[in-house]
Amino acid sequence: MNGVIYTRYELVRTFRNRRFFLFSLAFPLILYYIIALPNRAAHDFSGSGISAPLYYMVGLASFGTMTSMVSTGTRIAGERQSGWTRQLRITPLTPRAYVGAKVLAAYATAALSLATLYVSGVIVGVGLPASVWLEMTGLIVIGLLPFAALGITLGHLLTVDAIGPAMGGTVSLLALVSGTWFPVTHGLLHDIGQVLPSYWLVQAGRVSLHGQAWGALAWVVVLGWTALLGVLAALAYRRDTGRV
């Protein structure tokens, strides 16, 4: 099996997963309409300077895309349990192609989740220049890199029974601390959020204020977590595949 064939297989399998559509698409979408519609007239949501429909569009998009990226671990854990990972090791598929397919599939599902929330935002009344849409999307794409590595790490460390609660709990806590549900502007949650990449996913929506959504701290945090979790993912993969 080569990298192209495996990537196609991974994409098809991912989009046939009903749980993906429930947690990465349907759940954030339903919440968005429940929360944003009643607040569509709020143009300065909780003093954030951003309208409520835009704030929750980006906030719930971060929740959905984080779920999409980390859920890669669920598929890896399932493959390990079934013995599929062991079978792949005797094929010409390289570790780079294997990991690349997982990351590409995660980004594909995240893109669908993001597009769904964007369309919903426009329906509710979000209107932004094309340059702002592009810049905001670019920051979100970069901000998801640590979560791709996190999903791979968890998938190679945890069992099928353990990874579901671990994934759900991690994403839920990150969403709470990072301001998905309400602006986090001060206090302990703000201090914690500053050092988490999930916080800066939500902050990507601040490009609508025609300012700088990410400063130096944001780039250090996002790239630092990407490097750290990337190393952990590589170690977890080698430890797992090195077993007899």
Side-chain angles (χ1 to χ4, degrees):
M1 181 182 294
N2 60 37
V4 175
I5 294 175
Y6 181 71
T7 300
R8 185 176 66 178
Y9 162 79
E10 188 68 20
L11 289 170
V12 170
R13 189 181 66 152
T14 298
F15 283 108
R16 286 179 177 174
N17 189 330
R18 295 179 181 178
R19 284 179 297 179
F20 156 69
F21 286 100
L22 176 62
F23 293 107
S24 296
L25 288 181
F27 186 60
L29 186 62
I30 292 171
L31 282 178
Y32 180 71
Y33 282 111
I34 291 175
I35 300 173
L37 271 177
N39 296 286
R40 65 188 305 172
H43 299 293
D44 184 10
F45 179 63
S46 295
S48 65
I50 304 174
S51 69
L54 173 59
Y55 184 90
Y56 280 117
M57 181 189 77
V58 178
L60 287 168
S62 72
F63 179 82
T65 53
M66 277 194 295
T67 301
S68 297
M69 302 303 285
V70 180
S71 64
T72 301
T74 304
R75 295 189 290 275
I76 292 174
E79 290 176 355
R80 291 171 56 230
Q81 178 173 285
S82 66
W84 178 239
T85 304
R86 185 181 296 273
Q87 289 296 113
L88 288 175
R89 276 184 249 162
I90 63 176
T91 71
L93 185 71
T94 65
R96 185 187 297 271
Y98 172 80
V99 173
K102 297 298 184 188
V103 173
L104 181 60
Y107 264 108
T109 57
L112 184 56
S113 177
L114 189 61
T116 302
L117 266 300
Y118 276 6
V119 171
S120 300
V122 172
I123 292 173
V124 174
V126 175
L128 299 171
S131 59
V132 174
W133 284 107
L134 290 173
E135 183 180 355
M136 183 168 62
T137 303
L139 291 177
I140 292 173
V141 168
I142 296 171
L144 289 174
L145 286 171
F147 301 101
L150 177 61
I152 294 170
T153 303
L154 294 177
H156 284 289
L157 291 178
L158 302 179
T159 65
V160 172
D161 292 333
I163 197 168
M167 184 188 77
T170 299
V171 173
S172 296
L173 284 174
L174 288 174
L176 175 65
V177 173
S178 303
T180 294
W181 311 114
F182 49 83
V184 177
T185 57
H186 61 277
L188 179 62
L189 289 183
H190 177 263
D191 295 338
I192 296 174
Q194 292 280 297
V195 296
L196 296 173
S198 50
Y199 175 85
W200 298 106
L201 275 178
V202 179
Q203 292 301 305
R206 297 191 66 82
V207 298
S208 64
L209 301 179
H210 306 291
Q212 189 179 30
W214 285 11
L217 175 61
W219 288 100
V220 169
V221 169
V222 171
L223 296 181
W225 276 106
T226 300
L228 175 61
L229 290 171
V231 171
L232 291 178
L235 292 175
Y237 175 82
R238 290 171 184 170
R239 172 180 174 271
D240 187 42
T241 56
R243 294 176 179 171
V244 178

